[in-house]
Amino acid sequence: MHRRIAHPVEVTLFSITVRDHVMVAHSFSGEVFGPAQRLHGATFVVDARFKRVELDQDNIVVDIGLATQELRAVLADLNYRNLDEVPEFAGINTSTEFLAKHIADRLADRVRAGALGVGAHGLSGIEVSLHESHVAWASYERDL
Amino acid sequence: MHRRIAHPVEVTLFSITVRDHVMVAHSFSGEVFGPAQRLHGATFVVDARFKRVELDQDNIVVDIGLATQELRAVLADLNYRNLDEVPEFAGINTSTEFLAKHIADRLADRVRAGALGVGAHGLSGIEVSLHESHVAWASYERDL
Amino acid sequence: MHRRIAHPVEVTLFSITVRDHVMVAHSFSGEVFGPAQRLHGATFVVDARFKRVELDQDNIVVDIGLATQELRAVLADLNYRNLDEVPEFAGINTSTEFLAKHIADRLADRVRAGALGVGAHGLSGIEVSLHESHVAWASYERDL
Amino acid sequence: MHRRIAHPVEVTLFSITVRDHVMVAHSFSGEVFGPAQRLHGATFVVDARFKRVELDQDNIVVDIGLATQELRAVLADLNYRNLDEVPEFAGINTSTEFLAKHIADRLADRVRAGALGVGAHGLSGIEVSLHESHVAWASYERDL
Amino acid sequence: MHRRIAHPVEVTLFSITVRDHVMVAHSFSGEVFGPAQRLHGATFVVDARFKRVELDQDNIVVDIGLATQELRAVLADLNYRNLDEVPEFAGINTSTEFLAKHIADRLADRVRAGALGVGAHGLSGIEVSLHESHVAWASYERDL
Amino acid sequence: MHRRIAHPVEVTLFSITVRDHVMVAHSFSGEVFGPAQRLHGATFVVDARFKRVELDQDNIVVDIGLATQELRAVLADLNYRNLDEVPEFAGINTSTEFLAKHIADRLADRVRAGALGVGAHGLSGIEVSLHESHVAWASYERDL
């Protein structure tokens, strides 16, 4: 049995999203992955969505130039790499959903470090989506 | 007057989405449908999104191979059919939004029956979107 | 530290979305905008999403014909204009996120005025997304 | 054995393309069609491409407003119909590729009749593409 | 100086295209490739376009079911592989454009072997496009 | 009367395409443009396609890094500008199709000047497409 609420939680919410991509090799461990246990690769088209409840004094969610630059910087640490050889990911299945969280968390670090500008401290959340093909994608959303 | 909350509910949430399509004929009953009261058809490009709060022990939301297979199985019951002649839909307007719910509910049945694997019991929700054209789509989301 | 809830709020929710576009000129005020302080322009591909908790008696969220027509009417007030010269926007940065709110609010006005039909009074919310390019978009969601 | 030319034919060529869609029911005759022999349906997202060698005196290929209007008019004759019951198509498999030709030919009729403006007499060709899903489309190109 | 022809070559041409994808790892040799000299990976969304001058007796270009099946079979030989370790590609830069030709040539082999049906012998050409990201793709076209 | 050839010209042809975008303001002169005679704007998503008959010694059409960089450089001259005030375009309708030619010609200049590398001298043609919305785009193709 499911409890149903009459109306969803009322919210007013702004967001902006910027898109970039990253090209990596990796392999997975576990029978569930079938042929993807072999070393293979993927292009991930990455959408980083920044949310906030009210716009800042410039009437924006966040400086889209800085958002684009910082997403690119986060992806640069992964781009053109074999993730199986990245020490930080040793023993980890770098699934699309895991990478969505990894990228969202690194973006959150940068927001907190001020890299997206002072106004970015008013952001309420980040959602990162990774498109691995035209028929499959994953996402992770978190608070800030 | 609307009550506004200062911050949206804090969540941490993963999802994966798989895409397939189905081609059906149908007609609608009711003046609101205008020329769509005539027998016509649609391609629905169907996105099935599976959500969960924490990843499973393989570091994934759900086995994407099984998710793809079960979505295809659910759509196979509708594909290349005239929905006006499907007994289950007798007297029902098989609108895009209704079909989104129908497909989500059938996927939920399969999750509960174990067809998406044992790990899928950790899923928290399903969202199904049906794109009926490049300028219109519908969605339905529900808990699991 | 973030408070984490074990499961997101349980909801059952339908939506339909219609897409149109608008082509405008404008300029921005503020150093954060860099070269976009110059008069330039944008095509905004606009997605208007209408939400409700239960379908109406015709088994739909809203009359998609009326939704399309009213979105077009709202956009017609902006289309082929220099927003810097629209009195309503004097002194305002007509950012993508601001315009998403503007369009959502105008659609909400039309819902309340009955322009989307009597059934539209059952709508629970509107979300408007504006795609300004293949790599950037903004959205605003609000209750009804 | 194939004759290979060292360089493709040199051309200078302009085009504009407009997109619309149509929703139809139909069935196919012939074992090659498998389950598509049953009455089913499709949304066809239709791209009509108009080509010419030199731009007209307004610096355009064709009036995009008229092109959009005439494509819509051609599609209106098919929209929300069961093509099996259209006398013109009696005994014909209304395949995606056949419909691409049908639409291109009707557009060519309208160009010749002057419906796309006087300048449209300088058009050199039409290409029509019909997207039947996210994974399949067909096209037909012809001279004018 | 370029020779310009008054009108492009007159053609009447049908095509159908089917889409699938493949996920591979590889590395490149040559300074021009920069960081892509490292082992990395890609998702290639693959469009296989089949062309012919007149439709067959079923009013189609080719059996779309067989086209889809044979494209999948060709891609299966590459899918979830490290192309650096495929003997056929030893010492070869498996660039996107090279892979487009490889896939087109394998499809041509299958057409000639009858795998796409007897009617497929009337095909005049194949074009294969590989999308490596949302901002880059390659294609190769050849006769049959 | 049109001459029809039994088979299209036989070709073997490679291409790569890179995508970027530009945001401009402009107005048009001429009744055919209707409300677009007013100052308005557009985002143009720009696809630059480079063609050649045989791959170079690195097994590529052109250095995709240089192609991306030079497309960006060409667009930088237009980006965030009011084209009505660009001296080069004085008295010219900067239609989507005209801009496609302008960008293609500037890219051709850069190819000839060696900016895309020595290998780029083997390119046979360029095609530039500008998407002005989700329902309209234009293209121009030329030899090199």
Side-chain angles (χ1 to χ4, degrees):
Chain A
M1 280 297 299
H2 286 282
R3 161 174 59 93
R4 292 274 156 74
I5 56 172
H7 287 273
V9 174
E10 290 181 82
V11 292
T12 176
L13 189 60
F14 292 93
S15 75
I16 65 132
T17 306
V18 292
R19 173 170 282 190
D20 203 337
H21 73 287
V22 67
M23 303 178 88
V24 300
H26 59 167
S27 64
F28 296 133
S29 175
E31 278 182 36
V32 69
F33 296 104
Q37 293 172 276
R38 300 196 298 248
L39 183 66
H40 63 287
T43 305
F44 294 113
V45 175
V46 182
D47 297 337
R49 185 181 183 211
F50 300 88
K51 306 176 189 177
R52 70 189 298 155
V53 176
E54 300 293 344
L55 297 181
D56 72 9
Q57 78 276 15
D58 290 311
N59 229 17
I60 58 174
V61 168
V62 71
D63 180 339
I64 200 170
L66 290 178
T68 300
Q69 169 188 301
E70 294 304 307
L71 174 59
R72 181 152 296 181
V74 166
L75 297 182
D77 290 340
L78 304 172
N79 209 8
Y80 296 117
R81 296 210 174 274
N82 177 358
L83 301 186
D84 293 356
E85 297 180 349
V86 173
E88 183 179 2
F89 300 142
I92 291 177
N93 276 329
T94 53
S95 64
T96 310
E97 39 275 62
F98 168 82
L99 290 171
K101 180 179 191 307
H102 173 81
I103 293 166
D105 289 347
R106 291 299 75 75
L107 285 171
D109 293 345
R110 286 169 180 260
V111 167
R112 282 192 293 254
L116 281 90
V118 177
H121 293 303
L123 293 172
S124 60
I126 292 181
E127 181 172 356
V128 170
S129 300
L130 268 68
H131 302 256
E132 69 177 62
S133 75
H134 64 305
V135 290
W137 51 97
S139 70
Y140 172 73
E141 53 185 295
R142 54 162 285 171
D143 298 317
L144 277 176
Chain B
M1 280 297 300
H2 284 283
R3 161 175 58 92
R4 290 275 156 74
I5 57 171
H7 288 274
V9 175
E10 290 180 82
V11 292
T12 175
L13 189 59
F14 292 92
S15 75
I16 65 134
T17 307
V18 292
R19 174 171 283 190
D20 204 336
H21 73 287
V22 66
M23 302 177 89
V24 300
H26 59 169
S27 64
F28 295 133
S29 175
E31 278 182 36
V32 69
F33 296 104
Q37 293 172 277
R38 301 197 295 249
L39 182 65
H40 64 287
T43 305
F44 294 114
V45 175
V46 182
D47 297 336
R49 185 181 183 212
F50 300 89
K51 306 176 189 178
R52 69 189 298 156
V53 176
E54 301 292 344
L55 297 181
D56 72 8
Q57 77 276 15
D58 290 311
N59 230 18
I60 56 175
V61 167
V62 72
D63 180 340
I64 199 171
L66 290 178
T68 300
Q69 170 188 300
E70 294 304 308
L71 174 59
R72 179 152 299 180
V74 167
L75 297 182
D77 289 340
L78 305 172
N79 210 7
Y80 296 117
R81 294 209 176 277
N82 177 358
L83 300 186
D84 292 356
E85 296 180 350
V86 174
E88 183 179 2
F89 299 141
I92 292 177
N93 276 329
T94 54
S95 65
T96 311
E97 41 274 64
F98 168 82
L99 290 171
K101 180 178 192 306
H102 172 80
I103 293 166
D105 288 348
R106 292 296 78 73
L107 285 170
D109 292 344
R110 286 168 181 259
V111 167
R112 281 192 293 255
L116 280 90
V118 177
H121 293 303
L123 292 172
S124 61
I126 292 181
E127 181 173 354
V128 170
S129 300
L130 267 68
H131 302 256
E132 69 175 62
S133 76
H134 65 304
V135 290
W137 52 97
S139 71
Y140 172 73
E141 53 186 295
R142 55 160 286 169
D143 298 316
L144 277 176
Chain C
M1 281 296 300
H2 284 283
R3 163 173 57 93
R4 292 274 156 72
I5 56 171
H7 287 275
V9 174
E10 290 181 83
V11 291
T12 176
L13 190 60
F14 292 92
S15 76
I16 65 134
T17 307
V18 293
R19 172 171 283 191
D20 204 335
H21 73 287
V22 66
M23 304 178 87
V24 299
H26 59 168
S27 63
F28 295 132
S29 174
E31 279 182 35
V32 69
F33 295 105
Q37 293 172 277
R38 300 196 298 249
L39 182 66
H40 64 286
T43 305
F44 294 113
V45 175
V46 182
D47 297 336
R49 186 182 182 210
F50 300 89
K51 306 176 189 178
R52 70 189 298 155
V53 177
E54 302 293 344
L55 297 180
D56 72 9
Q57 78 277 15
D58 289 310
N59 230 18
I60 57 175
V61 168
V62 71
D63 180 339
I64 200 171
L66 289 178
T68 300
Q69 170 188 302
E70 294 304 308
L71 174 59
R72 179 152 298 180
V74 166
L75 297 182
D77 289 339
L78 304 172
N79 210 6
Y80 297 117
R81 296 208 175 274
N82 176 358
L83 301 186
D84 293 356
E85 297 180 348
V86 174
E88 184 179 2
F89 300 142
I92 292 178
N93 276 329
T94 54
S95 65
T96 311
E97 40 274 63
F98 169 81
L99 290 171
K101 181 178 192 306
H102 173 81
I103 294 166
D105 289 347
R106 291 299 76 73
L107 285 170
D109 292 345
R110 286 170 181 259
V111 167
R112 282 193 292 255
L116 281 91
V118 177
H121 293 303
L123 293 171
S124 60
I126 292 181
E127 181 173 355
V128 170
S129 300
L130 267 68
H131 301 256
E132 69 176 62
S133 75
H134 65 304
V135 290
W137 52 97
S139 70
Y140 171 73
E141 53 186 295
R142 55 161 285 169
D143 298 316
L144 277 176
Chain D
M1 279 298 299
H2 284 282
R3 163 174 58 93
R4 290 275 155 72
I5 57 172
H7 288 274
V9 174
E10 290 181 83
V11 292
T12 176
L13 188 60
F14 292 91
S15 75
I16 65 131
T17 307
V18 293
R19 173 170 283 190
D20 203 335
H21 73 287
V22 66
M23 304 178 88
V24 300
H26 59 169
S27 64
F28 296 133
S29 175
E31 278 182 35
V32 70
F33 296 104
Q37 293 173 277
R38 299 197 296 249
L39 182 65
H40 63 287
T43 305
F44 294 114
V45 175
V46 182
D47 296 338
R49 185 183 183 211
F50 300 88
K51 306 176 189 178
R52 70 189 297 156
V53 177
E54 302 292 345
L55 298 181
D56 72 9
Q57 77 277 15
D58 289 311
N59 230 19
I60 58 174
V61 168
V62 71
D63 180 339
I64 200 171
L66 290 178
T68 300
Q69 170 188 302
E70 294 304 307
L71 174 59
R72 180 153 298 180
V74 167
L75 297 182
D77 289 340
L78 304 172
N79 209 7
Y80 297 117
R81 295 210 176 274
N82 176 359
L83 301 185
D84 293 356
E85 297 180 349
V86 174
E88 183 179 3
F89 300 141
I92 292 177
N93 276 329
T94 54
S95 65
T96 310
E97 41 274 63
F98 168 83
L99 290 172
K101 180 178 192 306
H102 173 81
I103 294 166
D105 289 347
R106 290 300 76 73
L107 285 171
D109 292 344
R110 287 169 180 258
V111 168
R112 282 192 293 253
L116 281 90
V118 177
H121 293 302
L123 292 172
S124 60
I126 292 182
E127 181 173 355
V128 169
S129 300
L130 267 68
H131 301 256
E132 69 176 61
S133 74
H134 64 306
V135 291
W137 51 98
S139 71
Y140 171 74
E141 53 185 294
R142 55 161 285 170
D143 297 317
L144 276 177
Chain E
M1 280 299 300
H2 284 282
R3 161 174 60 92
R4 291 275 157 73
I5 56 172
H7 287 275
V9 174
E10 291 181 81
V11 292
T12 176
L13 189 60
F14 291 92
S15 76
I16 65 132
T17 307
V18 292
R19 173 171 283 190
D20 204 337
H21 73 288
V22 67
M23 303 178 88
V24 300
H26 59 169
S27 63
F28 296 133
S29 175
E31 278 182 36
V32 69
F33 295 104
Q37 293 172 277
R38 301 197 296 249
L39 182 65
H40 64 286
T43 305
F44 294 114
V45 175
V46 182
D47 296 336
R49 185 182 183 211
F50 301 89
K51 306 176 190 179
R52 71 189 298 156
V53 176
E54 300 293 345
L55 297 181
D56 73 8
Q57 78 278 14
D58 290 311
N59 230 18
I60 58 174
V61 168
V62 71
D63 180 340
I64 200 171
L66 289 178
T68 300
Q69 170 188 300
E70 294 304 307
L71 174 59
R72 180 153 298 181
V74 166
L75 297 182
D77 290 340
L78 304 172
N79 210 6
Y80 297 117
R81 297 210 175 274
N82 177 358
L83 301 185
D84 293 356
E85 296 180 348
V86 173
E88 184 179 2
F89 299 141
I92 292 177
N93 276 329
T94 53
S95 65
T96 310
E97 40 274 64
F98 168 82
L99 291 171
K101 180 179 193 305
H102 173 81
I103 293 166
D105 289 347
R106 291 299 76 74
L107 285 171
D109 292 344
R110 287 169 181 260
V111 167
R112 281 192 293 254
L116 280 90
V118 177
H121 293 303
L123 292 172
S124 60
I126 292 182
E127 180 173 356
V128 170
S129 300
L130 267 68
H131 302 257
E132 69 177 62
S133 74
H134 65 304
V135 290
W137 52 98
S139 70
Y140 172 74
E141 52 185 295
R142 55 161 285 169
D143 297 318
L144 277 176
Chain F
M1 279 298 300
H2 285 282
R3 159 178 58 93
R4 290 274 155 73
I5 56 173
H7 288 272
V9 174
E10 291 180 82
V11 292
T12 175
L13 189 59
F14 292 92
S15 76
I16 65 133
T17 307
V18 293
R19 173 170 284 190
D20 203 336
H21 72 287
V22 66
M23 303 177 88
V24 300
H26 58 169
S27 64
F28 296 134
S29 175
E31 277 182 36
V32 70
F33 296 104
Q37 293 173 277
R38 301 197 295 250
L39 182 66
H40 63 286
T43 305
F44 295 114
V45 175
V46 182
D47 296 337
R49 186 182 183 211
F50 300 89
K51 306 176 189 178
R52 69 189 298 156
V53 176
E54 301 292 343
L55 297 181
D56 73 9
Q57 77 276 16
D58 290 310
N59 230 19
I60 57 175
V61 168
V62 71
D63 180 339
I64 199 171
L66 289 178
T68 301
Q69 170 188 300
E70 294 304 308
L71 174 59
R72 180 153 299 181
V74 167
L75 297 182
D77 289 341
L78 305 172
N79 210 6
Y80 297 117
R81 295 209 175 275
N82 177 358
L83 301 185
D84 292 356
E85 297 180 348
V86 174
E88 184 179 3
F89 299 142
I92 292 177
N93 275 330
T94 54
S95 65
T96 310
E97 41 274 62
F98 168 82
L99 290 171
K101 180 178 191 308
H102 173 81
I103 294 167
D105 289 347
R106 291 298 76 74
L107 285 171
D109 292 345
R110 286 168 180 259
V111 167
R112 282 191 293 254
L116 280 90
V118 177
H121 293 302
L123 292 172
S124 60
I126 292 182
E127 180 173 356
V128 170
S129 300
L130 267 68
H131 301 257
E132 68 176 63
S133 75
H134 65 304
V135 291
W137 51 99
S139 71
Y140 172 74
E141 53 185 295
R142 55 161 284 169
D143 297 317
L144 276 176

